Amino acid sequence: MMLRGRTWKYGRNIDTDVIIPGRYANIAEASELAKHCLEDLDPDFVKNMRPGDIIVAETNFGCGSSREIAPLSIKAAGVSCVIAKSFARIFYRNAINIGLPIFECPEAVDGIETGDTLEIDPTAGKIFNVTKNLSFETEPLPEFIQEIVAEGGLMRFVAALSQKSKPLRE
Amino acid sequence: MTIAEKILAAHAGREEVRAGELIMAVIDLVMANELSAILAIQEFEKIKPKRVFDPEKIALVPDHFTPNKDMKTAEITKAVRRFAQEYGITHYFEVGRGGIEHVLLPEEGLVAPGDLIIGGDSHTCTYGALGAFATGVGSTDVAAAFAIGQVWLRVPQSIKLVYYGQPGKWVSGKDIILYTIGDLGVDGAIYQVLEFTGEGVTHLSIADRFTMANMAIEAGAKTGIFEADEKTVEYVKGTIEDHESRMRNFKSDPDAEYVRTLEYDLSEIEPQVAVPSLPENVKPVREVGEVDIDQVVIGFCTNGRIEDLRIAAEVFKGKRVHPKVRALIFPGTQKVALQAIHEGLAETFIESGCAFSTPSCGPCIGGHLGVLGERERCVSTSNRNFVGRMGPLSSEIYLASPAVAAASAVAGKIAHPEEVV
Ligand code: SF4
């Protein structure tokens, strides 16, 4: 499946407290979380973005808390994927586990400005900046993670695994 | 192999693992607080499992918004409580019998050297102080671990931090880790492990080590880890009955590979403060300048141990909190609170004009029990000073040790303990 959307570019160290502030940490409904996505960083983001839009950021996106509502709020807001120079590791695994596509690609980030339109082929690892007519390659996801994604997220993978119920050790 | 690689290899049923590899590993414990548990429980119940993988290897700790801060939180903790009862979870810690997860779990004997622990909280890395490999994960990882007792991990590279020399009188684990993060930067160790080594660490108490491992994540690290030594063994003897069979003391090989090695002389480190709004904005306290403050909070998972409260009480003894300042003390657990009462520390705090709270994360994430107002400034012994973490966007957090926080409470501005004692 190809992803296509306009970009919203932000800086370094975008932390989970600005992605979804702690005061909303007791909200579990995706639709409610969506309303507050990036509120403390860009209060107009949710108002101005359209489904399919793409968040682009410099290094260490998603640093801070382990709150899974951070990638959840992004996904629920309708963002199709996040591209950054690097991700904080818990954010990275949370995104994979809930099925929010994310790509690490420093060159692409440097070649994108807010408002550019991108086309992304996640399986081939290709990012195309339509506005600027620039192409970039990203690392395809590790095979192991592709398996999780192919099962439709970690819990389906686990459901499949627990049916086989082969313990790895002992 | 490094200590991290050895622990992961042992839990993946392998002779050897190498940095960069993806593994499926068997865990010794999975922890969640009420906020990560509620999402994990929803995910877990979607796949309709009949049981959890092992009811004795799950710890559930309501601590973030507890005692329940509002009706929404009450429903969340109710659901977690119901889950714990339904699945017979042994280590469920009710309000009044628990505390803040990262102070509580080691105290309860749920952490042994060599363990692999995951937790639905980024500061799960705290347990590395005892030589465990412990790392924060998200709620879906927790849900998966509830079901199968396993986790997928990328074997991380390690950074070797070598400390030597003796720290000065007012220098604690907090100052050392702040100094280190100031050097590494908040993204200096992404996906990597901070291995705390060197002759200098032998001078550090287990409480200091907990504080340091706790903040490894503030440099982006997957975890921080200390090799177990005599002090660790002594600590574990006091918390785990069958400690001899539980402890696995892994050590890094002399030819283990590191991405880099950094050296620090503890005798040169002054008390440190991280100024707003990133933990890497670190300065010696004497270089911070005149900063008036409105609130001081001491405690939390970073500095809520009895050793921390002793130092704070030493500074407060016979003095009063500055008239313009509110000071709040958050002991890490019920046991710490009780000990503080036995030792007369609670009395010192209350006589000085501090609020002595029940254990809770409270204001640390801007939840309750001490949230800041517009443009208010706080000195906190917690681990994060991000924009808006303890209140509105205009409020500010300065991170410091219990000694510096207590001295600041008395002075009404950021102060070195020597200025008030
Ligand atoms: S005290 Fe603060 S940092 Fe520690 S677990 Fe609680 S909210 Fe997280």
Side-chain angles (χ1 to χ4, degrees), chain A residues 43-71:
Chain A
D44 295 328
F45 172 74
V46 172
K47 208 165 65 208
N48 295 335
M49 64 90 57
R50 291 199 293 255
D53 280 1
I54 294 165
I55 294 175
V56 179
E58 300 282 331
T59 50
N60 205 20
F61 185 86
C63 62
S65 133
S66 66
R67 63 185 71 140
E68 200 159 293
I69 55 172

Side-chain angles (χ1 to χ4, degrees), chain B residues 129-211:
Chain B
L130 298 181
F133 187 103
T135 190
V137 296
S139 293
T140 303
D141 286 305
V142 170
F146 282 174
I148 57 171
Q150 294 172 36
V151 64
W152 67 268
L153 292 167
R154 186 199 290 269
V155 178
Q157 296 176 310
S158 295
I159 298 179
K160 187 176 189 173
L161 304 172
V162 186
Y163 297 92
Y164 57 93
Q166 283 257 19
K169 158 86 178 141
W170 296 109
V171 176
S172 66
K174 184 61 163 284
D175 304 293
I176 301 168
I177 190 66
L178 284 175
Y179 186 87
T180 308
I181 294 164
D183 190 38
L184 287 168
V186 292
D187 54 358
I190 299 187
Y191 308 127
Q192 297 168 344
V193 173
L194 297 184
E195 190 177 320
F196 301 102
T197 68
E199 153 273 325
V201 304
T202 59
H203 304 305
L204 302 175
S205 68
I206 295 296
D208 282 325
R209 298 181 199 180
F210 277 128
T211 307

Side-chain angles (χ1 to χ4, degrees), chain B residues 33 63-64 100-102 121 123 214 300-302 360-361 364-365 382-384 389:
Chain B
N33 57 54
D63 61 356
H64 274 53
I100 303 172
E101 50 205 27
H102 310 307
D121 191 275
H123 294 103
N214 175 274
F300 304 127
C301 65
T302 325
S360 174
C361 296
C364 178
I365 43 160
S382 52
N383 41 39
R384 288 194 177 133
R389 176 131 174 131

